[in-house]
Amino acid sequence: WSFWLKLNLYFNNILLKVIGVIKVSDHIVKTYDEELDRISNSIVQLGGFIEDQLARAIHSLVHRDSDLADSVVDDDKKADELEEDINNQVIRILALRQPMAVDLRLITAALKISSDLERIGDHAANVAKRAHALNQFEPVKPISAVSRMAQIVQKMIKDVLDAFLERDSERAMEVWRRDEEVDEMYNSLLRELVTYMMEDPRNITPCTNLLFVAKNIERVGDHATNMAETINFLVHGTNITENRPKGETDAI
């Protein structure tokens, strides 16, 4: 009986150790999943902040609200802080978890998307600065065309963020194809602004500011397209082989 008792205790100890390892493993996996979820949530948070920042910048332009424009410029630091937090999360996971496959694609995508979002925030701040400057002059007619272009770009950002949240590559590709429309609107606006400046030299300064606004909005569309490409890679693990659709470039 002594032998069987010892044998029973021996196997019970092994069983307890195995159970302990399983519990620790489950805990590690759960913690790891939470860290990955936190990165995704941080991207969504940054994206929402940038959406609001751009919307306020456009509002300050259309409604000639200098105070709102100033607040957009001031808020640009917050976007930088949110991006830095995402970078720190990514570095920590890379150092401690050594992710592979889709997990590695996720954190790589997080780095790229957060960088594009931060740059969109910079463009929004630039729009706000130009809006403030434009308020020193009489309103110029082409501002309505800038507003229409901005609406398309804002929709692109919303759709690409939804595509990231849902891991929807088809929706991301729809955004990718829409960039051509933004380019064509920018080229059309460029021609219109040059016409206004040629007709009356007093329009040169306000139209130049508006031209910089339009260029910043066009660049926002480029960053939304970048994010669409990143989401496609996140979902499928392959790069887009098609050439990026671009509107014709006018030489003026």
Side-chain angles (χ1 to χ4, degrees), residues 65-83:
D65 188 336
S66 295
D67 291 337
L68 182 60
D70 290 340
S71 71
V72 172
V73 175
D74 291 340
D75 284 347
D76 191 44
K77 295 178 181 178
K78 176 65 174 176
D80 295 340
E81 292 172 358
L82 291 171
E83 185 205 13

Side-chain angles (χ1 to χ4, degrees), residues 150-160 171 175 178:
Q151 289 174 0
I152 294 174
V153 168
Q154 286 175 284
K155 184 67 164 56
M156 288 173 68
I157 296 172
K158 179 185 183 302
D159 287 347
V160 82
R171 191 167 186 174
V175 173
R178 219 177 301 161

